[in-house]
Amino acid sequence: MTQLSTFAITQKWPAQHPERLQLYSLPTPNGVKVSILLEELGWPYEAHLVSFQTNDQLSPAFLSLNPNNKIPAILDPQGPNGQPLALFESGAILWYLAEKSGQFLPSDPALRYETLQWLMFQMGGVGPMFGQLGFFHKFAGKEYEDKRPRDRYVAESRRLLGVLEQRVSGRDWIMGDTYTVADIAIWPWVRNLFGFYEAGDLVGRADFPQVERVLAAFVARPAVQRGLNIPARD
């Protein structure tokens, strides 16, 4: 299969197995959403590291696939109608792969839309707010004497955690007994907030025992453990 060679991105990241789905990513909360889902599906795929240290995301090759210069992005040689499909935005990729596979989405239409709303909850709320808190708490924001920006994101992150706490009380997962793409989208960000961002004490993680319970169940999944480290950093 040579169809992928027509995509400029394959010049920078050659496909060793062009018949497989190509993933261009980095193991960040957004990036691992897709690798976790692919590991859950058990599909063969190739993962290519997009290194921020060398500004790979700003390279013409990557921008040819995602003009918004954000990871992750995919190139599926077997897209709709058997034609290659290039796709960016992690939420869109999750939804596409779940629909293509027929897995990790409820079959009932009403429940599918309910799942979609929680996926959008992560995309529009959890990811941006937790990410901003991470910046102001762990990274350059530490230099700011004015803590109002940080505290704004602390308060909003606590509010979002409270929404999650209420949602999963008495439930195994976001959608109840069914593990879905909503979980795959949300829990990497919660893990990052408490772990990499070191903001657990700041947001009062002890106040959210149900969130802790479901997060632990999520991280214990073998596919999650594999996906959290794909693609491997240099």
Side-chain angles (χ1 to χ4, degrees):
M1 181 181 297
T2 60
Q3 295 180 73
L4 294 190
S5 65
T6 63
F7 290 83
I9 196 167
T10 64
Q11 303 305 308
K12 184 174 177 64
W13 291 280
Q16 300 300 312
H17 301 278
E19 75 282 1
R20 298 180 182 179
L21 184 145
Q22 306 292 306
L23 169 64
Y24 307 91
S25 190
L26 186 70
T28 66
N30 278 337
V32 300
K33 296 177 198 174
V34 179
S35 54
I36 288 171
L37 178 53
L38 288 168
E39 289 296 316
E40 293 279 10
L41 291 170
W43 287 359
Y45 66 99
E46 278 191 69
H48 305 278
L49 180 70
V50 180
S51 174
F52 289 176
Q53 291 183 330
T54 54
N55 288 323
D56 283 349
Q57 76 278 15
L58 300 177
S59 67
F62 188 76
L63 292 172
S64 71
L65 191 64
N66 182 1
N68 196 36
N69 66 270
K70 303 293 184 182
I71 58 93
I74 64 167
L75 187 51
D76 184 0
Q78 295 296 325
N81 301 315
Q83 298 300 309
L85 175 68
L87 201 61
F88 64 88
E89 282 296 335
S90 57
I93 296 170
L94 290 184
W95 199 258
Y96 166 70
L97 294 176
E99 285 201 323
K100 180 177 180 178
S101 67
Q103 299 183 58
F104 305 108
L105 280 179
S107 57
D108 178 83
L111 293 177
R112 288 169 76 89
Y113 283 116
E114 189 177 346
T115 305
L116 179 60
Q117 81 177 354
W118 286 102
L119 176 59
M120 294 299 101
F121 169 81
Q122 184 277 304
M123 298 293 293
V126 167
M129 296 301 106
F130 289 9
Q132 293 290 347
L133 175 53
F135 171 82
F136 283 105
H137 177 58
K138 182 169 183 175
F139 298 112
K142 278 191 171 183
E143 301 171 359
Y144 300 166
E145 293 183 10
D146 186 348
K147 297 305 180 186
R148 285 177 297 177
R150 186 204 67 177
D151 292 346
R152 167 180 166 78
Y153 293 114
V154 169
E156 182 62 6
S157 295
R158 277 188 55 83
R159 188 190 70 79
L160 292 167
L161 288 168
V163 174
L164 285 173
E165 179 77 7
Q166 182 179 34
R167 176 64 182 182
V168 298
S169 294
R171 296 171 180 263
D172 292 334
W173 302 105
I174 293 294
M175 291 301 296
D177 295 337
T178 305
Y179 174 76
T180 70
V181 291
D183 296 290
I184 295 172
I186 289 169
W187 300 111
W189 274 103
V190 178
R191 174 180 177 270
N192 212 60
L193 180 70
F194 293 166
F196 180 71
Y197 288 156
E198 301 172 352
D201 290 341
L202 190 62
V203 297
R205 64 184 295 180
D207 296 334
F208 308 104
Q210 301 308 313
V211 167
E212 293 271 23
R213 171 183 57 82
V214 181
L215 175 61
F218 176 75
V219 174
R221 295 178 69 90
V224 172
Q225 294 177 24
R226 295 191 300 271
L228 286 171
N229 297 301
I230 297 174
R233 294 178 184 268
D234 292 334

